[in-house]
């Protein structure tokens, strides 16, 4: 397999057997168009996802199969792989087919102008509970860090290598919400922007965290954000 150091697309995957083949080929087209690679990390899927992705043979595709460790850690594993292999730009997107590849160009044309770009889902097709949590999170982040980020956990983001390397080096990766931490880190220290992106309705698979697990996740996330605030001020 050939590594092109210009761009890597990091895609965590969990139980997406119905749609993963289409999503991979859609994003492979983008990776090739912009002279990059696609990294798919299967987070211990329990359905046929692993078998499906392992059958896809493409020189621009890299596959990692790992034991289930959660979305956050899987994303971080992808980020660490990208930094270790010296990719100039790192793009992260989820595998649920809720984002359009057409929006990628809006990020890429400004890759040298901004250190970090994150997508804002204008019309978001998620349960009302998740929409409410996003609004509350926006207020919490502004209160703790004095920075306004519309969609801090959006899994549609382009990151400069040096910025991501600094984030990892400072040890901000041991969290269940690394993308939120990364958004705060970047908006406080680098040149960033928010980009309006299309959000599509989820037609396959299941949301990985619901009901009581979601409440527990939110409480844990809030606790980690408070700790991050204390650590961030000292750096």
């Amino acid at each position: 397999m050939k590594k092109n150091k210009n761009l890597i697309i990091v895609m965590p995957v969990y139980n997406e057997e119905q749609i993963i083949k289409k999503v991979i080929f859609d994003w492979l087209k983008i990776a090739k168009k912009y002279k990059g690679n696609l990294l798919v990390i299967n987070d211990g899927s329990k359905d046929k996802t692993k078998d499906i992705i392992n059958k896809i043979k493409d020189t621009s595709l890299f596959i990692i199969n790992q034991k289930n460790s959660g979305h956050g850690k899987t994303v971080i594993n992808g980020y660490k792989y990208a930094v270790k292999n010296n990719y100039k730009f790192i793009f992260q997107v989820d595998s649920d087919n809720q984002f359009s590849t057409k929006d990628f160009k809006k990020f890429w044309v400004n890759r040298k102008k901004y250190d970090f770009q994150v997508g804002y889902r204008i019309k978001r097709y998620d349960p009302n509970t998740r929409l409410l949590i996003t609004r509350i999170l926006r207020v919490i982040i502004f209160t703790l860090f004095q920075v306004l980020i519309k969609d801090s956990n959006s899994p549609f983001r382009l990151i400069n290598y040096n910025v991501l390397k600094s984030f990892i080096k400072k040890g901000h990766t041991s969290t269940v919400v690394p993308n939120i931490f990364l958004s705060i880190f970047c908006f406080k220290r680098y040149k960033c922007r928010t980009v309006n992106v299309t959000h599509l309705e989820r037609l396959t698979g299941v949301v990985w965290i619901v009901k009581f697990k979601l409440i527990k996740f939110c409480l844990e996330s809030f606790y980690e954000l408070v700790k991050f605030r204390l650590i961030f001020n000292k750096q």
Side-chain angles (χ1 to χ4, degrees), residues 46-104:
K46 297 178 180 178
D47 60 6
K48 297 179 182 178
T49 296
K50 180 179 178 180
D51 294 333
I52 294 171
I53 63 177
N54 283 343
K55 290 179 181 178
I56 300 175
K57 307 300 179 183
D58 193 290
T59 56
S60 296
L61 174 66
F62 296 93
I63 299 171
I64 295 176
N65 289 297
Q66 64 180 34
K67 292 182 179 180
N68 182 259
S69 58
H71 183 273
K73 190 171 182 180
T74 303
V75 169
I76 286 298
N77 288 343
Y79 287 160
K80 288 182 176 179
Y81 177 95
V83 169
K84 182 180 179 180
N85 288 278
N86 300 306
Y87 283 92
K88 293 180 181 178
F89 299 97
I90 301 90
F91 184 80
Q92 193 264 309
V93 65
D94 279 355
S95 59
D96 51 18
N97 200 40
Q98 286 194 269
F99 290 93
S100 172
T101 56
K102 294 179 181 178
D103 284 324
F104 179 83

Side-chain angles (χ1 to χ4, degrees), residues 175-234:
T175 171
V176 295
V177 287
N179 271 348
I180 294 177
F181 278 27
L182 178 59
S183 293
I184 296 169
F185 178 82
C186 291
F187 270 80
K188 289 290 287 185
R189 298 187 174 186
Y190 298 96
K191 191 173 183 180
C192 308
R193 76 164 185 157
T194 297
V195 185
N196 293 341
V197 296
T198 302
H199 195 236
L200 307 171
E201 186 177 359
R202 187 183 183 107
L203 301 176
T204 62
V206 293
V207 178
W208 70 277
I209 184 168
V210 294
K211 296 182 180 179
F212 294 111
K213 288 185 178 180
L214 180 58
I215 296 174
K216 181 181 178 182
F217 176 80
C218 290
L219 291 174
E220 185 177 356
S221 300
F222 176 70
Y223 174 69
E224 289 189 354
L225 278 170
V226 173
K227 288 201 306 180
F228 183 47
R229 171 71 166 78
L230 297 175
I231 295 172
F232 193 87
N233 279 350
K234 296 178 181 178

Side-chain angles (χ1 to χ4, degrees), residues 12-17 41-47 49 68 95 202 206 208:
V13 181
Y14 180 73
N15 288 355
E16 295 287 358
E17 63 179 7
I41 309 177
N42 172 40
D43 186 32
S45 294
K46 297 178 180 178
D47 60 6
T49 296
N68 182 259
S95 59
R202 187 183 183 107
V206 293
W208 70 277

Side-chain angles (χ1 to χ4, degrees), residues 69-168:
S69 58
H71 183 273
K73 190 171 182 180
T74 303
V75 169
I76 286 298
N77 288 343
Y79 287 160
K80 288 182 176 179
Y81 177 95
V83 169
K84 182 180 179 180
N85 288 278
N86 300 306
Y87 283 92
K88 293 180 181 178
F89 299 97
I90 301 90
F91 184 80
Q92 193 264 309
V93 65
D94 279 355
S95 59
D96 51 18
N97 200 40
Q98 286 194 269
F99 290 93
S100 172
T101 56
K102 294 179 181 178
D103 284 324
F104 179 83
K105 185 178 180 179
K106 293 188 290 187
F107 288 68
W108 191 249
V109 294
N110 287 291
R111 66 191 183 280
K112 295 181 180 179
K113 186 176 180 180
Y114 296 95
D115 301 301
F116 176 77
Q117 300 176 73
V118 62
Y120 172 55
R121 296 165 279 191
I122 305 174
K123 185 176 182 181
R124 186 172 169 184
Y125 289 93
D126 278 330
N128 289 330
T129 51
R130 285 178 170 261
L131 300 181
L132 177 61
I133 288 170
T134 298
R135 294 189 182 99
I136 294 173
L137 178 61
R138 195 180 302 157
V139 174
I140 291 173
I141 291 175
F142 183 77
T143 302
L144 292 176
F145 299 92
Q146 293 76 54
V147 61
L148 181 61
I149 309 174
K150 291 183 178 180
D151 203 350
S152 61
N153 202 31
S154 173
F156 201 88
R157 50 187 55 213
L158 183 66
I159 316 148
N160 177 285
Y161 164 81
N162 291 322
V163 171
L164 186 58
K165 182 180 179 181
S166 177
F167 175 76
I168 293 173

